Amino acid sequence: MSLLSKLFGKSEQKPAEPVMYEGFAITPQPMKEGHVYRLSAIIEKDGQSHHLIRADTLPSVEAAHEAAIEKAKQVIDQQGARMF
């Protein structure tokens, strides 16, 4: 982590690769809040997108990625294309 990133709190996390599920692309985008990460993801299909944000916070970016993918799959199973 660079000195400027440490001073200004910018994280250097790489963008996550999308995960395909039932024809939807799920891209985890955890939001850093202090020392934890808020669960967040983009769900896309056919040029439409939905930004999924939940109150859940997790201690690591990896845990937030995994939880975002699982939550997005649940939303897709429950709502499908109606989420758009």
Side-chain angles (χ1 to χ4, degrees):
M1 186 178 277
S2 73
L3 178 60
L4 290 176
S5 294
K6 289 179 184 175
L7 290 174
F8 296 106
K10 304 255 182 193
S11 69
E12 293 182 5
Q13 47 179 342
K14 294 183 238 173
E17 291 295 319
V19 173
M20 296 305 294
Y21 179 74
E22 301 289 330
F24 292 82
I26 303 166
T27 307
Q29 294 186 333
M31 302 163 69
K32 186 166 176 73
E33 295 184 0
H35 297 290
V36 295
Y37 294 86
R38 182 162 309 281
L39 189 151
S40 176
I42 300 291
I43 304 171
E44 299 175 295
K45 183 176 183 176
D46 299 331
Q48 296 180 308
S49 66
H50 174 76
H51 194 173
L52 174 75
I53 301 175
R54 294 293 182 257
D56 310 59
T57 57
L58 297 124
S60 71
V61 69
E62 293 83 11
H65 275 222
E66 291 176 27
I69 291 168
E70 291 306 311
K71 182 55 87 171
K73 287 179 179 180
Q74 182 181 18
V75 169
I76 290 167
D77 289 342
Q78 292 173 350
Q79 298 181 17
R82 293 179 307 187
M83 80 178 83
F84 305 119

